[in-house]
Amino acid sequence: MRPAAARVLLGAFAVAVVADLVSQAVGSDTGHLLVKPLLMPLLAAHAAARGGPRLLVVALLLGWAGDVLLLSDADPAFLAGMGSFAAGHVCYLVLFARHGRPRARGALLAGGYGLVLVTTVALLWPGLPAGLRVPVVGYSLLLTAMAYGATRLGRVAGLGGALFLLSDMLIATGVADWPQLPRPDFWIMLTYAAGQYLLVRGVADTLAAPSVPTAAYGEVRSTTP
């Protein structure tokens, strides 16, 4: 673990997030194009500097690839970006399965996420382009599973998964031509950046807990008196 480097990288990530949000707020496409590709590499470097699991770093870098691809408005780039994020969700799901624990009222929570998924897909379906309907449904299923799986790591990671889900739902409403909030990309990036950070924080908190072997997070501590 390199705490000094991790703090510097987290600070750089925070500065980049603020710069991107300001660019969105003032309508600067150039600023967004320059800053957005920096976000996930900085967060991934922060996670790596803390000794984070390889799957976490890979998930973040797949998010970076998706971010870059989604800078294009072309349908092939959108599908490729969605595929990259989907691969990242698979990494998260494996990570949550390895280190998560069953939560109280887990079945109730799973039912709630399932209801959100079915309702959202049903409402969005008529407005989605025909060629994107099946991929969006498949991606939504994987995304919802990731958001629910994050709850196995506690409230922080669970909130991160929920914000990631909300961010992608905002994107989907734009694709389906629903009425949008002012500066919709601002809210998309705010929820996305916060969600990814909270997932990283949630993983770190879980793996640093005494009941979890800290060696899995790159740090070995003796428990011998």
Side-chain angles (χ1 to χ4, degrees):
M1 177 182 287
R2 298 181 293 278
R7 287 193 295 269
V8 170
L9 288 163
L10 182 59
F13 168 73
V15 170
V17 170
V18 171
D20 187 55
L21 293 177
V22 170
S23 297
Q24 297 285 4
V26 302
S28 173
D29 292 338
T30 300
H32 178 59
L33 289 171
L34 291 174
V35 177
K36 184 181 180 183
L38 301 177
L39 300 180
M40 290 307 106
L42 287 170
L43 188 57
H46 163 72
R50 292 197 61 173
R54 186 174 301 174
L55 277 173
L56 176 61
V57 176
V58 171
L60 293 167
L61 292 178
L62 286 167
W64 165 75
D67 287 343
V68 173
L69 288 164
L70 291 183
L71 288 172
S72 169
D73 293 329
D75 283 351
F78 181 83
L79 288 170
M82 189 162 55
S84 184
F85 277 115
H89 295 327
V90 172
C91 292
Y92 274 131
L93 283 169
V94 174
L95 186 63
F96 301 155
R98 288 180 180 176
H99 302 291
R101 286 169 267 177
R103 311 303 297 182
R105 301 180 181 176
L108 182 62
L109 190 59
Y113 271 108
L115 180 60
V116 169
L117 171 65
V118 171
T119 302
T120 302
V121 169
L123 292 173
L124 290 173
W125 184 270
L128 292 173
L132 293 180
R133 285 176 175 171
V134 173
V136 166
V137 170
Y139 176 80
S140 298
L141 179 61
L142 191 57
L143 170 64
T144 306
M146 183 282 295
Y148 168 69
T151 64
R152 292 171 55 88
L153 271 65
R155 293 181 180 178
V156 172
L159 178 58
L163 287 173
F164 203 144
L165 176 63
L166 176 58
S167 177
D168 279 4
M169 287 175 63
L170 292 173
I171 294 174
T173 60
V175 174
D177 288 329
W178 282 23
Q180 299 291 293
L181 294 168
R183 302 292 184 192
D185 287 344
F186 174 91
W187 304 107
I188 290 168
M189 291 306 301
L190 176 63
T191 50
Y192 169 66
Q196 290 278 43
Y197 166 71
L198 290 173
L199 286 171
V200 171
R201 178 67 181 273
V203 170
D205 289 349
T206 297
L207 298 182
S211 59
V212 178
T214 53
Y217 200 65
E219 178 181 4
V220 180
R221 294 177 180 174
S222 175
T223 58
T224 304

